[in-house]
């Protein structure tokens, strides 16, 4: 499928799934805004930056633009969309891939980590959608893909068998459930504007650098 003439914005594209999606879109002909916080590697366990991904895309003959994006900052989100439109005049595709995982349980989690998780995993994608919608309407349509997880699946009604635990998934799964619900509502809302909203929900553990981060030693990544 050719994406020639299309402009895509990929949030969370400095490594892992987001980087691969950005490179694939570029290989299909789209101009890609590679958006994330990472502009230089601070920890060998988390390789990749917006600049290294853009360099890979350009070396393969594609077109890419590095965009510094902080999903906790509404102004940064607006600025990312505006930067892409200023460069290429439109936005046709948004991939909401950026996310974080807060380990622990409800008794041990810090207040600041609750806020961090909600801001990055739920509020951030919503604000990203809000930022691109006017540009997609101007372009005559578009595609929004929110990356979710099978962790969004409810455990179902209890009682549960003794000793059952859901691991360290304190907020990630529930936040993805909310994002899926929100995505469906917006798909209904904007279908007449020729804007699709879909959810990509990988099955099983995807061993990206971010996923493996807590299990890797800093000296031996």
């Amino acid at each position: 499928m050719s994406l020639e003439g299309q402009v895509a914005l990929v949030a969370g594209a400095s490594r892992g799934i987001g980087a691969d999606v950005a490179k694939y879109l570029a290989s299909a002909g789209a101009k890609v805004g590679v958006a994330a916080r990472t502009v230089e590697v601070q920890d060998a366990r988390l390789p990749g930056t917006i600049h290294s991904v853009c360099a890979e895309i350009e070396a393969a003959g594609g077109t890419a633009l590095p965009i510094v994006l902080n999903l906790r900052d509404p102004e940064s989100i607006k600025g990312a969309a505006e930067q892409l439109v200023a460069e290429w005049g439109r936005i046709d595709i948004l991939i909401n891939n950026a996310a974080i995982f807060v380990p622990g349980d409800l008794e041990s989690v810090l207040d600041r980590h609750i806020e961090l998780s909600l801001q990055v995993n739920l509020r951030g994608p919503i604000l990203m959608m809000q930022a691109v919608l006017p540009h997609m309407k101007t372009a005559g349509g578009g595609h929004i893909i929110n990356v979710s997880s099978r962790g969004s699946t409810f455990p179902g009604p209890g009682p549960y068998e003794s000793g059952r635990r859901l691991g360290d998934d304190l907020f990630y799964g529930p936040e993805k459930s909310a994002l899926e619900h929100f995505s469906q509502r917006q798909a209904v809302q904007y279908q007449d504007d020729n804007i699709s909203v879909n959810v990509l929900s990988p099955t099983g553990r995807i061993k990206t650098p971010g996923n493996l981060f807590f299990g890797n030693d800093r000296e031996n990544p």
Side-chain angles (χ1 to χ4, degrees):
M1 178 181 177
S2 175
L3 296 177
E4 290 291 338
Q6 301 280 291
V7 174
L9 177 58
V10 184
S14 57
R15 66 183 67 89
I17 293 173
D20 285 347
V21 169
K23 287 182 276 189
Y24 181 84
L25 292 172
S27 72
K31 297 176 180 178
V32 182
V34 177
R37 289 186 307 161
T38 307
V39 295
E40 60 181 48
V41 175
Q42 301 288 340
D43 189 319
R45 291 173 293 177
L46 295 173
T49 71
I50 56 176
H51 302 295
S52 66
V53 174
C54 284
E56 287 188 58
I57 289 173
E58 290 167 355
T63 303
L65 177 71
I67 298 175
V68 178
L69 171 66
N70 181 358
L71 280 180
R72 300 183 69 187
D73 181 359
E75 291 305 314
S76 177
I77 291 171
K78 292 177 185 176
E82 291 169 358
Q83 184 178 348
L84 199 63
V85 172
E87 184 74 17
W88 291 317
R90 60 191 293 144
I91 299 177
D92 304 282
I93 301 166
L94 169 66
I95 310 293
N96 265 322
N97 170 72
I100 63 166
F101 191 91
V102 175
D105 57 32
L106 195 55
E107 295 172 278
S108 63
V109 69
L110 302 176
D111 289 349
R112 61 186 175 89
H113 287 163
I114 297 174
E115 285 299 312
L116 174 64
S117 186
L118 287 169
Q119 287 172 1
V120 174
N121 293 349
L122 190 55
R123 188 186 72 169
I126 290 172
L127 292 180
M128 287 293 296
M129 293 169 68
Q130 186 181 54
V132 304
L133 277 169
H135 304 294
M136 289 185 173
K137 283 187 172 182
T138 299
H143 300 275
I144 295 172
I145 297 177
N146 294 321
V147 178
S148 183
S149 164
R150 291 298 183 186
S152 67
T153 305
F154 294 169
Y160 308 106
E161 55 188 83
S162 178
R164 180 178 181 184
R165 294 289 187 272
L166 294 178
D168 287 332
D169 184 4
L170 180 57
F171 298 121
Y172 186 81
E175 287 161 346
K176 292 300 187 182
S177 295
L179 184 61
E180 290 188 9
H181 189 158
F182 186 80
S183 298
Q184 291 180 13
R185 291 184 66 90
Q186 301 315 303
V188 174
Q189 183 74 11
Y190 290 102
Q191 63 180 351
D192 290 341
D193 295 301
N194 198 34
I195 297 172
S196 67
V197 183
N198 287 285
V199 170
L200 174 64
S201 188
T203 298
R205 183 183 183 190
I206 309 299
K207 294 183 179 181
T208 63
N211 182 275
L212 296 171
F213 178 76
F214 291 104
N216 286 345
D217 183 86
R218 177 182 285 272
E219 301 307 318
N220 184 28

